[in-house]
Each structure stands twice: as C-alpha cells, then as structure tokens.
Amino acid sequence: MRFRDRVVIITGASRGIGKAAAFRFAEEGAKVVVAARTETTGIVPGTIYETVEEIKQKGGEALAVKVDVGIKQDIDNMAKQAVEHFGRIDVLVNNAAAFPSKPYTKFPDPDEEEWDRLMNINLKGYYLCTFAVIPFMKAQGKGKIVNISSDAVFSADPYRVHYLTTKMGQIGFTRGMARELAEYGININAVTPGFTAVERSLKTFPKEMEDRIVGGQAIKRREQASDLAGPILFLASDDADFITGQTLNVNGGQNYI
Ligand SMILES: NC(=O)c1ccc[n+]([C@@H]2O[C@H](COP(=O)([O-])OP(=O)(O)OC[C@H]3O[C@@H](n4cnc5c(N)ncnc54)[C@H](OP(=O)(O)O)[C@@H]3O)[C@@H](O)[C@H]2O)c1
C-alpha cells in the first residue's frame, strides 16, 4: 500500500494507459482523480465514470472530473476538485494526449490547425496541468509528476512529425522543470512507452507496422497498458525520491535512449 492516503490525478484515465495506471494506484491505496473529456454522464465504457465505478467496485476511492486539458479553466477546476474532495495533491500523471488525425500520412504542408491542436494538448496541456498542481505540492513540501511521452522520439518514425515534436518537447519540459522544482521537494520524470495495445492504437496502427515493432523488441510480445503501470507508480513513489528530470524507456527493448 505505497500510496495509502495519497491523492493522485491522472489525465486521460478513461481509457488505455491512464486507466491501467488509475487501477494500479487505487489497488495501492491511492485516492484517484480520474480526468478526461468524457461527453456523456452515464457509466458508459471508455468514460471517466466507468473507470471510477470499476475502482469503487474493487473497494478503492476515486473521483471523476471532466476536463479538457486544452482549457485552463477546466484544469484549474480539476486541481480545485481534487483538493476539495481529498484534501491534497501528491501525484500528477500527465497522460492525456492528442494524436495525429491522419496517422502515418505525410504531414500536410502547412496544416497549422493540426499542428496547433497537438501543441496545445500535448505541450500546453502538460504545462498547464503541472502549474495547476505546483502550489499544492509546494505547500506540502513534496510531490511527484510523471509525464507520459513516447519512445517514438528515439526512433523518429516517419509521418508524424508534429506528434514527435510534442513528445520530445515533453522530455525537454521534464528536464527543465526538474531544475525548477527540486528545491520544493517536487520530482518530475518522464516515461516513454513503446507501441502499446490500446483500443485506439490497434485501430490506427497498420498491422505490418505493429509486427515490425514487436519483432524489433528484445521481449517479443505486444506491450500492454498494464506494462506501464509499474514504472509510472515507481516514479510516483518514495522509492524515486532521488530521481528527477529522467526518462524511463518502457518498450520491451525496442529502442534505447
Ligand atoms: N498507446 C500507445 O501505443 C502509446 C505509445 C507511446 C506513447 N503513448 C502515450 O501514452 C499516453 C496515453 O495514450 P493511450 O494510448 O493510452 O491513449 P488512449 O487510449 O487513446 O486514451 C487517451 C486518453 O486521453 C483522453 N484525452 C484525449 N484528449 C484529451 C483532452 N483534450 N483532455 C483530456 N483528456 C483527453 C481520452 O479521453 P477523452 O477522449 O474522453 O477525453 C483518453 O482517456 C499518451 O500521452 C500517448 O502519447 C501511447
């Protein structure tokens, strides 16, 4: 129970990697703020309400908060709700992302709207969420921030230059912020997943590309969302108190930093 009574915010926790991490934090005693845009209000698959319901059914504590990480007001409300309901914020996992609208096609030249959409969610979103929690972590003298980037930045897959730019930017943000936050007892690190089998990626990744990636891994099986939970929890735990500004590459040995 490494996270007993700790409060963890995870953006993009209605599906995929964020949801898997939310479950694991709850299992380890955390009170989890499950955040995403979720349009509906019902307990429907792929929503924050479903994640929260599943956590509660297993005896955990969680709160659903509707947030678009492209909107500062939503983000400030997310931090406020976390503190109002659970009294503190110990961990932020910046995970919600925007993805290319036409994956694996040459980037249209120029498509400012598409470029801005990814920059806004993946860079400004991480920055705004981070700054929304800093005052609470500072007041506590301790906090952990984990930024989910991508191992695609190390192999520079073709035809998604805007996505790669944001994902590399998240690593730069992590390193820069580590220098700013250490004096307040706040650690900030990045995790770079490899190709991970979630509903969205299975729909958008061409099968031959997936086979090539898995074939190039040292561990020759598909990466699952649950494979990321352990590394995320480690970086969010007291065991990582002397680690900051780092990137943990979690991809079955597909590429190396
Ligand atoms: N899966 C992979 O192969 C892979 C590989 C490398 C890195 N990653 C990284 O891992 C992270 C999670 O990816 P995933 O594959 O688990 O994604 P996913 O299954 O598509 O889930 C994305 C999550 O983000 C939420 N979201 C999207 N836009 C949002 C916004 N503007 N505001 C708030 N929430 C938003 C979605 O919910 P709503 O749509 O309801 O808002 C959903 O909960 C991302 O940072 C991604 O870049 C994934």
Side-chain angles (χ1 to χ4, degrees), residues 9-257:
I9 298 177
I10 310 177
T11 66
S14 58
R15 294 190 295 277
I17 293 168
K19 183 174 186 174
F23 286 159
R24 192 72 68 80
F25 273 114
E27 277 167 21
E28 295 227 25
K31 299 170 184 180
V32 186
V33 176
V34 174
R37 288 168 304 179
T38 294
E39 298 299 335
T40 59
T41 51
I43 302 169
V44 179
T47 63
I48 49 177
Y49 306 111
E50 184 194 51
T51 304
V52 166
E53 183 60 21
E54 289 178 22
I55 288 173
K56 285 184 175 168
Q57 274 173 12
K58 289 183 197 156
E61 270 192 83
L63 173 74
V65 178
K66 258 170 84 83
V67 57
D68 183 335
V69 298
I71 301 173
K72 185 174 185 301
Q73 204 180 339
D74 279 13
I75 293 167
D76 291 343
N77 176 55
M78 172 179 77
K80 188 167 163 263
Q81 286 212 43
V83 173
E84 272 175 17
H85 279 79
F86 294 135
R88 52 192 291 124
I89 301 171
D90 297 285
V91 176
L92 166 70
V93 181
N94 277 315
N95 168 76
F99 299 92
S101 55
K102 289 182 193 152
Y104 310 108
T105 50
K106 209 168 171 55
F107 187 74
D109 175 27
D111 187 338
E112 280 190 55
E113 202 179 309
E114 171 83 348
W115 181 269
D116 288 348
R117 183 175 65 83
L118 265 72
M119 299 299 143
N120 191 40
I121 302 303
N122 297 358
L123 286 179
K124 196 171 174 191
Y126 277 39
Y127 147 70
L128 288 175
C129 289
T130 299
F131 276 80
V133 302
I134 285 173
F136 303 101
M137 291 181 173
K138 254 187 185 177
Q140 291 158 199
K142 191 166 171 122
K144 293 279 191 312
I145 299 168
V146 182
N147 295 323
I148 310 305
S149 173
S150 171
D151 84 332
V153 301
F154 305 121
S155 43
D157 305 355
Y159 304 140
R160 43 182 188 162
V161 66
H162 50 337
Y163 180 72
L164 296 183
T165 303
T166 63
K167 289 285 148 185
M168 199 69 200
Q170 291 168 351
I171 292 174
F173 176 70
T174 303
R175 292 179 183 182
M177 287 304 296
R179 299 259 180 216
E180 306 262 343
L181 294 175
E183 66 182 291
Y184 307 113
I186 304 172
N187 304 55
I188 180 165
N189 290 289
V191 170
T192 49
F195 167 78
T196 305
V198 301
E199 209 179 308
R200 177 198 48 75
S201 63
L202 291 175
K203 267 192 215 146
T204 54
F205 253 70
K207 181 73 174 72
E208 59 278 11
M209 192 181 278
E210 187 199 328
D211 291 345
R212 183 180 52 74
I213 289 170
V214 174
Q217 293 170 192
I219 302 169
K220 296 197 188 302
R221 67 160 174 82
R222 259 186 186 170
E223 183 163 357
Q224 303 294 332
S226 55
D227 289 316
L228 277 316
I232 293 170
L233 265 74
F234 164 65
L235 290 174
S237 75
D238 291 346
D239 289 338
D241 275 355
F242 201 60
I243 301 175
T244 197
Q246 305 303 315
T247 301
L248 183 52
N249 200 21
V250 183
N251 64 0
Q254 204 274 335
N255 61 24
Y256 303 91
I257 299 178

